[in-house]
Amino acid sequence: MLNFLAMSIVLGIETTCDETAASVVVDGKKILSNVVYSQIETHREYGGVFPELACRKHADELIPIIDEAIRLAGVEKSDIELISVAARPGLMGALLIGLSTAKALSYSWKIPYVGVNHIEAHLYAAMMSVDNPPLPAIGLIVSGGHTSLLKIKALGEYEWLGNTLDDAVGEAFDKTARLLGLPYPGGPEIEKLARLGDPKAVPFKPGRMKEKPLHFSFSGLKTQVLYAMAKNPKNEDVAASFQETALNDLVNKALLALKTYSLNAIYIGGGVSNNRRLRELFEEKKPPGVQVFWPANGLSLDNAAMIAGLGYHVYQSKGCGDPYDLTPMPTNKLLF
Ligand code: KG4
Ligand code: ZN
């Protein structure tokens, strides 16, 4: 048995969408295990996440995955001191499975649990391996369900600066991939195909609103792809041009936010942060002195290590666990 003197061993649980995940993390930082069961194969034939199937898979897989995470961490169940579960936002049924399991384990193991925000955890993933992460800073969330810019004043204290007014950027990648006949999830497929194409071949325009310079809009870009396809361009050129337009839009608005708020650090989280071209563009365009932080390997896509890590801090700041009548929240309206 490991002996972590004065350390907090947290079990994280993630079931917001189509990944069933569990992880054991010490002190909000040190990842002992990070087990992710991706349901991609289950949903692929539907071209997106089929909510009822996601729930059934979570119900089947969650307990074995929690057992696996504890086994791989090399700890005993009795070593776990806190459970952290993603309680918002996400698919209602999927959230309920994670939250009910966390409550049941908390009750039977006689340890506290906290319900945390999945989007906040995506940002925390970029801070997790940084000693004394510089703050205040800008946060950029680029996932399948969200695209947002915010000011991170401190962990747990955020100010929203911009959001997508329609599709999220990951969703735009997924929908464009479908137009190109590529499988779900489309982000990695577009990235692969884009390497073979000319990013200047099709002149796409990003969604811009003069009076809301830090907001995003991706549905127009998807429509432009649809019209461009009528002219029979090469698929790789469409992929490269779409990707370049969407990613440049993210980078330009993130850099504008840094300048507007006179900040010089940015944390990026969510599935699209896996994209190598996005990382290159930030490197190419960032002014000297600006620090860009990315999630470590395995922490960009949905995972439970970021949930466990964030839960450690949420518990420290609350000083207690959540009550058993906490309900899951499918939308992100009441943020954090
Ligand atoms: O954060 P995430 O795992 O789930 C949500 O919370 O939404 O993000 C999934 C999204 C999908 O839309 C997927 O297509 C996109 O992230 N994605 C990518 C890449 N890898 C995943 N988009 C662009 N390039 C990638 N390499
Ligand atoms: Zn996510």
Side-chain angles (χ1 to χ4, degrees):
M1 194 191 301
L2 293 176
N3 179 20
F4 293 108
L5 265 183
M7 287 185 179
S8 197
I9 305 180
V10 183
L11 170 69
I13 297 175
E14 159 64 39
T15 61
T16 59
C17 191
D18 60 341
E19 263 88 30
T20 315
S23 166
V24 178
V25 172
V26 180
D27 264 359
K29 259 184 186 309
K30 189 172 169 11
I31 300 171
L32 299 186
S33 64
N34 185 17
V35 183
V36 181
Y37 170 78
S38 168
Q39 304 178 2
I40 280 174
E41 291 310 322
T42 306
H43 300 288
R44 187 160 277 152
E45 66 177 290
Y46 304 98
V49 179
F50 192 134
E52 172 62 15
L53 282 183
C55 293
R56 290 183 198 181
K57 276 280 168 194
H58 287 312
D60 286 348
E61 302 296 337
L62 184 55
I63 294 292
I65 276 169
I66 290 173
D67 283 343
E68 179 76 346
I70 293 173
R71 190 183 66 77
L72 290 174
V75 299
E76 303 292 330
K77 282 178 184 158
S78 55
D79 294 325
I80 309 276
E81 293 165 282
L82 173 71
I83 298 169
S84 175
V85 59
R88 57 194 176 278
L91 300 170
M92 187 54 157
L95 289 167
L96 266 172
I97 291 165
L99 187 55
S100 313
T101 305
K103 287 177 184 173
L105 293 179
S106 151
Y107 189 79
S108 74
W109 293 351
K110 298 183 176 57
I111 55 170
Y113 89 98
V114 284
V116 304
N117 185 301
H118 174 91
I119 304 298
E120 185 180 10
H122 270 307
L123 275 186
Y124 181 72
M127 296 182 193
M128 210 162 165
S129 51
V130 185
D131 285 328
N132 302 315
L135 290 173
I138 294 294
L140 172 66
I141 293 156
V142 286
S143 73
H146 298 87
T147 305
S148 308
L149 271 168
L150 37 85
K151 184 173 171 186
I152 312 172
K153 297 176 186 168
L155 200 56
E157 254 186 77
Y158 308 91
E159 180 187 332
W160 288 80
L161 308 177
N163 260 317
T164 178
L165 303 177
D166 39 61
D167 292 349
V169 62
E171 194 180 351
F173 269 85
D174 295 336
K175 288 180 174 170
T176 298
R178 205 187 305 183
L179 291 173
L180 293 172
L182 299 168
Y184 173 83
E189 300 290 333
I190 296 252
E191 182 178 9
K192 228 187 296 163
L193 189 61
R195 285 192 204 115
L196 310 172
D198 173 5
K200 294 202 172 87
V202 193
F204 292 132
K205 285 204 174 65
R208 267 207 199 112
M209 292 127 289
K210 244 194 192 150
E211 62 295 357
K212 293 178 175 174
L214 297 180
H215 281 60
F216 300 92
S217 167
F218 290 103
S219 73
L221 181 54
K222 177 196 62 195
T223 313
Q224 291 173 58
V225 172
L226 186 65
Y227 287 141
M229 299 285 289
K231 295 182 186 152
N232 285 324
K234 287 188 195 152
N235 276 6
E236 54 270 37
D237 286 346
V238 175
S241 303
F242 160 81
Q243 172 172 271
E244 204 67 5
T245 308
L247 299 185
N248 267 297
D249 189 41
L250 297 175
V251 177
N252 292 341
K253 286 173 181 167
L255 295 182
L256 177 63
L258 280 163
K259 196 168 156 207
T260 308
Y261 292 87
S262 305
L263 295 168
N264 52 20
I266 179 164
Y267 298 90
I268 303 175
V272 182
S273 71
N274 238 355
N275 188 293
R276 305 308 310 175
R277 183 66 190 137
L278 181 63
R279 297 186 182 215
E280 274 170 26
L281 282 172
F282 264 106
E283 282 312 308
E284 282 170 21
K285 294 191 150 189
K286 75 180 171 84
V290 165
Q291 287 180 288
V292 185
F293 296 99
W294 301 93
N297 273 348
L299 299 189
S300 280
L301 297 170
D302 287 352
N303 67 86
M306 65 183 190
I307 305 295
L310 177 63
Y312 168 80
H313 295 282
V314 167
Y315 183 78
Q316 304 291 323
S317 70
K318 277 189 177 173
C320 63
D322 276 323
Y324 285 123
D325 62 0
L326 182 74
T327 49
M329 213 184 285
T331 64
N332 208 18
K333 273 195 192 116
L334 296 173
L335 295 163
F336 305 125

